[in-house]
Amino acid sequence: MIFTLTLPLTAAPAAAAVPGPIQVQPIDVVILVDESGSLSESAVTAERAAAALLAVGEFSSRSRVEVVGFGSKNNDSQQALDVVCPLGPLAGREDREAVVDCVGDLRRRTPAEGNDTDHVAAVGRAVSTLRGSGESDRQKIVFLLTDGVLDVRRSPNYGDSPEARQNAARQYLQAHLREAAEAGIQIWPLGFGRADLGQLREFAVGKPCNNLTGSRPQAQLIQREDQVFAAMVRVYSTARCAGSQVADPQVVDGSGSAEYRLDIPEIATDASITVAKYNPRFRVTYTDPSGKVVPKTGKHDGSVFQVYGEDSPVEGLRIELPRPGRWTVKVEAPQGERPEKVVAAVTWQGAVRSTITLDEQNPEPGGQVVVRSRLQTRQEVVVSSEAREGLTFSVDMTGDGVPDAVHTRLRDDGTGPDRKAGDGEYAGVVAVPPTATGALRFVGVVDAVGVQGDKVPYETQIGRPGNRVRTVVDIPQQTVAPGDAVRGTLVVTNDTGAPISATLVPDGLRDGDRVQVRSPSVRIPVGQTQRDVELVLQSGTALGQIPGELVLRDAADPKREYGRGFIKVTVAYPPSPWPWILGALAALAIIALLVLFTRTRAARVRGDVQELTLLLYRGDREAAQWRAPVGRNRKLEFVIRDPHDHPHFDRPSRGDRVYEVSRGGADGGLFLRTPEGDRRGVRPGVPEPVGDGLAVAVLDGRLTAPTGPYGGGRAPGPHGGGHPTGPYSSSSSGDPLL
């Protein structure tokens, strides 16, 4: 799923508020849960799990949630609504655990409690709650979980007859939905059971979190109750401008376990892994992409962890700055517990900030201005090229005298105003309408998967002819070591009619970025001026990408800004030659080991006896056969049992008279060692006397093409002829002892 992110771009003058740390935007949510009599107990369980999802999985500690069960009011002793969790914060663990607990109060109503379906009262309550929340800077979302259709035929509040009540309720419902749409409140209906998809679609209204069609509220109809939790994960992530992945459900038996694989991308700054285990006794462990089991509370490897609902049917692990890659979730059941179908999912979001520079701080009506933008994450580093895959950048300009927003695409392809393809700086030309009269406001738009921006607006004013300064500050992309210098250019066009004294200063740096401008004072005469710029990265400056900008400010009035440009510099020490030297030595060692291994393996192959077959003769008749066992063996040991009556081969036991066949020499020749220690060479297929009128011949599969079930040709008899098979010939299994 792809999302469109609308975020104001930061390039405010020095007088503007300095933006704080990048945070995930909070939301206000009301979850409406059907309690009508048509529900089954399993459906109620599924609804509780879906409602608990937000308590354990929501990213922002400033978000708030309300959970309302609804049925109907059929007489004065009943209430249509059951506010099990009033609108409250998710600030800490206690707050979230309280929501998990109160969700457990959702139930299936009895006729005495009013068990019909009053969608009107439920939606009206949600809209009223969100409109009166007093928070205008956050998304307002309603999730409606229902298994039925509107049914207030027995509710006297809506009229005197069943038909009149239904008609009145529909009119009230349409009024509530119009109110929600006007207030920008999203309503996401999630139906199951006998819910009517056509009616559900009427509920889907409101302003989405981005501009893509797929993120607009829409109805979902689930075929089975056990799919409600997974559907809620996907709906929640879409409404939240987040990304998500739901693993296939697995049944976990008593004393058994199941593992799930979930992926978190590089751009994610926040993630929540949620597990609907239904049995609070089931235990969950989480392993990061490096193979380490992470703690459920505290810090580890640069991430911050906090678990919620560990001893409840739904558990969630909140992760700040998660390690990107494939995570493993393991669910284990204590012995004796009944089987449960367990679902694991991950939701994630990239909290980013898009900083901006203008080549002209105060563009003229009817003129053009070049907008440049760069994306950075909460770690205050520029987003890598891999993480920018699939992202597109635009800018919307509004302001006094601007009738409609001016939308312009920003590109990083080296064309038009973009100076270099793929350097993370996006640029585009914005046309200012000739009707523009005063304030201008620039708002960035990023189409992305699971990305949401920090809202820091950039506002400026229209310029007037004869009082304009156009500035281009360019610090090209480069990598330097601490203590080195970087160079760029400054181009200024001064149309004010008088020279300007200005100063170049770095802005927006990280703690530990020790960047100094060499010769920061700039004298700008009338007309166009170009000069070199040099930045010194002092010893001890922080390693990594520098997220800041170089700003040209008036020397007498630092609040007045003439322009700024990104410092596209990565600080890193030059690579040491030792890795190359060690790499070369390692390569030589590997080659030597390969040669040794090859020779050793060749020697083992030459000495391997698994292709040998033994034939036992009495006189000129074959008494037995035995093929060597499969496997790399250096020798084939055997004994001859019952040599007088029924001679046959067997494996040696302790105290036996053991014969041994082996290979030797460069050509892998055959040798027979007797129990007395006499070692003599034998020719393949030629019987060698061993006493008691018996002889042993060795067939070598390397020399004889397979013709029989034993993989070798027949040996000649003791007198040179072919030998008949006798009562002791072996079976086709090869090894008669297997």
Side-chain angles (χ1 to χ4, degrees):
M1 189 173 296
I2 298 178
F3 301 93
T4 301
L5 157 69
T6 300
L7 56 105
L9 301 167
T10 64
V18 177
I22 302 174
Q23 298 295 337
V24 190
Q25 292 299 309
I27 58 176
D28 279 349
V29 178
V30 176
I31 306 174
L32 304 175
V33 182
D34 195 336
E35 293 184 323
S36 62
S38 59
L39 291 166
S40 64
E41 286 301 324
S42 60
V44 174
T45 299
E47 287 184 324
R48 289 172 181 162
L53 169 67
L54 268 74
V56 302
E58 165 56 23
F59 305 126
S60 176
S61 61
R62 295 190 295 134
S63 292
R64 299 183 301 179
V65 65
E66 177 172 282
V67 181
V68 180
F70 66 92
S72 61
K73 181 177 181 178
N74 297 342
N75 57 55
D76 291 340
S77 66
Q78 298 173 351
Q79 294 295 328
L81 303 180
D82 184 11
V83 184
V84 296
C85 309
L87 185 67
L90 299 175
R93 183 169 183 171
E94 295 78 10
D95 300 317
R96 294 178 182 246
E97 301 274 357
V99 176
V100 173
D101 290 341
C102 64
V103 161
D105 294 335
L106 294 169
R107 68 196 190 283
R108 181 179 63 177
R109 294 193 183 196
T110 65
E113 296 173 306
N115 64 349
D116 295 329
T117 309
D118 190 346
H119 290 137
V120 179
V123 173
R125 163 77 190 202
V127 173
S128 176
T129 297
L130 295 178
R131 291 202 67 172
S133 67
E135 300 286 350
S136 59
D137 64 338
R138 57 180 65 192
Q139 287 179 254
K140 300 177 187 297
I141 307 171
V142 178
F143 296 108
L144 172 64
L145 307 179
T146 181
D147 81 326
V149 297
L150 175 66
D151 184 5
V152 293
R153 290 172 294 179
R154 295 187 291 177
S155 299
N157 286 354
Y158 291 99
D160 297 329
S161 68
E163 184 178 354
R165 292 165 184 169
Q166 288 290 99
N167 290 334
R170 292 190 187 97
Q171 294 178 18
Y172 284 127
L173 181 58
Q174 291 303 315
H176 290 324
L177 295 176
R178 285 194 300 271
E179 186 180 6
E182 292 169 0
I185 298 172
Q186 303 179 44
I187 300 181
W188 292 80
L190 183 61
F192 52 95
R194 62 187 184 90
D196 178 72
L197 181 58
Q199 189 176 103
L200 291 176
R201 286 172 175 158
E202 296 179 8
F203 289 106
V205 300
K207 181 180 179 181
C209 62
N210 51 52
N211 296 323
L212 293 184
T213 304
S215 64
R216 294 190 173 278
Q218 52 188 298
Q220 302 283 330
L221 184 59
I222 310 305
Q223 299 300 318
R224 302 196 315 269
E225 296 164 355
D226 60 359
Q227 298 173 331
V228 171
F229 180 82
M232 186 66 178
V233 170
R234 297 186 181 98
V235 169
Y236 161 69
S237 64
T238 304
R240 185 75 171 88
C241 274
S244 67
Q245 179 189 359
V246 182
D248 291 336
Q250 300 183 53
V251 175
V252 182
D253 296 319
S255 72
S257 65
E259 289 190 351
Y260 306 82
R261 305 287 189 269
L262 299 168
D263 296 316
I264 299 178
E266 178 188 345
I267 203 170
T269 57
D270 299 83
S272 290
I273 298 175
T274 52
V275 181
K277 53 188 181 180
Y278 301 105
N279 187 332
R281 289 171 52 81
F282 284 18
R283 298 292 94 188
V284 185
T285 54
Y286 308 87
T287 303
D288 70 14
S290 68
K292 298 178 181 177
V293 175
V294 301
K296 292 191 174 182
T297 301
K299 297 182 178 180
H300 169 74
D301 195 24
S303 301
V304 181
F305 300 90
Q306 181 60 62
V307 72
Y308 304 109
E310 187 173 12
D311 297 319
S312 71
V314 180
E315 178 177 325
L317 182 68
R318 169 88 168 82
I319 314 171
E320 294 183 27
L321 305 180
R323 176 184 280 268
R326 177 155 293 180
W327 288 66
T328 300
V329 180
K330 185 175 183 179
V331 180
E332 298 175 280
Q335 189 169 3
E337 296 294 326
R338 64 186 181 87
E340 292 284 357
K341 181 178 285 188
V342 177
V343 183
V346 64
T347 52
W348 56 266
Q349 193 167 71
V352 299
R353 176 174 295 151
S354 183
T355 54
I356 189 176
T357 67
L358 302 183
D359 285 2
E360 184 173 359
Q361 288 297 104
N362 303 106
E364 201 174 74
Q368 295 182 332
V369 60
V370 175
V371 180
R372 303 184 191 276
S373 176
R374 183 167 66 163
L375 202 66
Q376 67 186 70
T377 67
R378 184 181 301 143
Q379 300 97 314
E380 297 186 346
V381 296
V382 179
V383 176
S384 69
S385 57
E386 292 80 9
R388 293 197 310 271
E389 284 292 329
L391 305 186
T392 57
F393 290 72
S394 307
V395 62
D396 286 339
M397 185 191 69
T398 58
D400 298 337
V402 181
D404 298 306
V406 179
H407 182 80
T408 304
R409 175 76 177 271
L410 306 181
R411 300 181 183 277
D412 184 20
D413 57 5
T415 63
D418 185 53
R419 293 180 284 226
K420 183 179 179 181
D423 65 351
E425 179 184 283
Y426 291 74
V429 177
V430 177
V432 181
T435 56
T437 58
L440 294 179
R441 189 169 189 264
F442 291 85
V443 177
V445 179
V446 179
D447 293 338
V449 175
V451 176
Q452 191 171 59
D454 208 12
K455 294 184 177 180
V456 183
Y458 165 62
E459 295 179 349
T460 188
Q461 295 284 330
I462 284 293
R464 298 301 174 189
N467 192 29
R468 297 169 57 207
V469 178
R470 296 186 297 277
T471 305
V472 177
V473 183
D474 184 20
I475 308 297
Q477 187 177 31
Q478 52 199 293
T479 300
V480 295
D484 290 346
V486 297
R487 292 169 179 81
T489 58
L490 170 66
V491 180
V492 183
T493 302
N494 178 6
D495 292 341
T496 64
I500 296 172
S501 295
T503 305
L504 279 168
V505 294
D507 186 36
L509 302 179
R510 305 166 297 178
D511 293 338
D513 283 333
R514 302 174 61 187
V515 179
Q516 185 179 41
V517 182
R518 186 169 290 169
S519 302
S521 298
V522 181
R523 176 78 172 171
I524 306 172
V526 176
Q528 188 176 85
T529 302
Q530 178 171 332
R531 59 162 285 181
D532 293 335
V533 176
E534 187 172 6
L535 303 181
V536 178
L537 280 65
Q538 297 174 319
S539 297
T541 193
L543 301 179
Q545 292 176 304
I546 296 179
E549 300 145 71
L550 193 60
V551 185
L552 183 65
R553 290 183 173 143
D554 190 89
D557 181 11
K559 293 182 179 180
R560 185 174 184 182
E561 183 178 308
Y562 296 117
R564 58 175 59 205
F566 297 119
I567 303 173
K568 299 189 288 291
V569 174
T570 300
V571 184
Y573 288 103
S576 169
W578 280 108
W580 294 96
I581 296 173
L582 294 176
L585 293 175
L588 291 174
I590 290 172
I591 293 172
L593 289 173
L594 287 174
V595 171
L596 179 61
F597 171 78
T598 301
R599 291 180 176 177
T600 302
R601 186 175 183 276
R604 288 178 178 175
V605 171
R606 285 196 303 271
D608 178 35
V609 297
Q610 68 175 334
E611 294 173 308
L612 300 182
T613 300
L614 302 181
L615 303 179
L616 181 62
Y617 293 98
R618 168 173 287 174
D620 60 356
R621 294 181 60 84
E622 180 184 316
Q625 284 193 19
W626 187 18
R627 186 173 182 176
V630 175
R632 298 293 185 192
N633 298 301
R634 302 284 295 175
K635 57 186 178 180
L636 175 58
E637 294 181 330
F638 65 94
V639 297
I640 299 175
R641 305 283 188 202
D642 198 6
H644 301 292
D645 296 326
H646 302 288
H648 59 278
F649 294 116
D650 196 3
R651 293 191 179 94
S653 299
R654 189 172 181 179
D656 283 340
R657 289 170 46 82
V658 179
Y659 293 86
E660 175 187 301
V661 175
S662 61
R663 296 185 187 273
D667 58 353
L670 299 176
F671 292 87
L672 174 66
R673 185 186 297 276
T674 66
E676 292 77 20
D678 178 29
R679 185 173 184 265
R680 46 189 157 168
V682 296
R683 292 173 58 193
V686 177
E688 184 70 25
V690 294
D692 296 321
L694 301 175
V696 174
V698 184
L699 300 182
D700 189 349
R702 296 182 185 177
L703 305 178
T704 309
T707 59
Y710 311 109
R714 308 295 289 177
H719 304 293
H723 50 78
T725 58
Y728 307 110
S729 59
S730 64
S731 68
S732 61
S733 65
D735 185 349
L737 303 179
L738 297 180

